[in-house]
Amino acid sequence: VDALGTVTRQVEARSIDETFALGERLGRVLSLGDFVGLDGQLGAGKTLFSRGVARGAGVPPDDVSSPTYSIVQTYTGRLPLHHADLYRLRGEGDLFATGYFDLLESDGAMLVEWVSQVPSARPEDSVLIELEVLSPDTRRLKIFARGERSQRLVEAWLGPAPTAP
């Protein structure tokens, strides 16, 4: 285990549709209190993946945009989905002003793009997904889970981890 958590999986999405579908599958298994942080370079697919998560959580994907300027948006689906984008923030002080930490305590699931911009934004029990560009259409998702709840979320999303031979 490192600072990010246990590397539970690596998944490749070979198209835009596969990236969206992986997000949608995650959205279907999200529960109240789950936290998913996303990282990756500009254009890696964080917002596309977020739209998939939203659809899986019962939110129309067209309602979802990258909340770069509003910082946090809440969508209503089968559960409240709080979607944050920390790209423009310089630190924890900027984040306090948004009411972000109050949302962590509220009903709903959290989906946070650019979570590494403010490391304290990621709770102890959380999933972190790093999206890496392999080609114009292909992305590698490195999935880290910290805590039992987040380990269970990843298993519900992707199935049991493969066992070593």
Side-chain angles (χ1 to χ4, degrees):
V1 176
D2 60 19
L4 298 175
T6 305
V7 180
T8 50
R9 303 292 171 79
Q10 283 195 113
V11 179
E12 282 191 16
R14 300 187 187 283
S15 68
I16 290 170
D17 290 342
E18 279 188 27
T19 301
F20 184 90
L22 276 168
E24 189 173 5
R25 271 180 37 206
L26 177 58
R28 280 194 215 111
V29 297
L30 276 181
S31 299
L32 297 175
D34 285 339
F35 182 98
V36 177
L38 302 175
D39 267 320
Q41 68 191 63
L42 282 169
K46 293 177 295 297
T47 300
L48 174 71
F49 184 85
S50 295
R51 283 192 179 110
V53 171
R55 167 165 299 147
V59 177
D62 292 345
D63 289 356
V64 180
S65 61
S66 182
T68 302
Y69 293 98
S70 60
I71 311 300
V72 180
Q73 294 176 359
T74 297
Y75 307 111
T76 304
R78 67 174 176 76
L79 76 168
L81 180 63
H82 308 296
H83 181 206
D85 184 323
L86 309 186
Y87 181 70
R88 301 177 61 76
L89 301 187
R90 292 184 300 280
E92 195 174 272
D94 288 351
L95 195 54
F96 269 110
T98 68
Y100 174 89
F101 291 102
D102 294 331
L103 289 175
L104 285 177
E105 303 300 319
S106 72
D107 286 344
M110 293 286 296
L111 180 63
V112 182
E113 298 183 42
W114 295 99
V115 71
S116 65
Q117 288 289 103
V118 183
S120 63
R122 184 178 173 213
E124 194 56 41
D125 196 322
S126 59
V127 174
L128 173 65
I129 302 170
E130 293 181 345
L131 286 91
E132 179 184 0
V133 177
L134 299 181
S135 75
D137 291 328
T138 305
R139 302 294 184 262
R140 176 181 298 133
L141 284 69
K142 291 182 184 175
I143 303 152
F144 303 86
R146 265 193 329 213
E148 288 181 30
R149 171 192 195 99
S150 295
Q151 293 279 355
R152 285 192 308 271
L153 174 60
V154 171
E155 282 197 11
W157 175 32
L158 298 174
T163 55

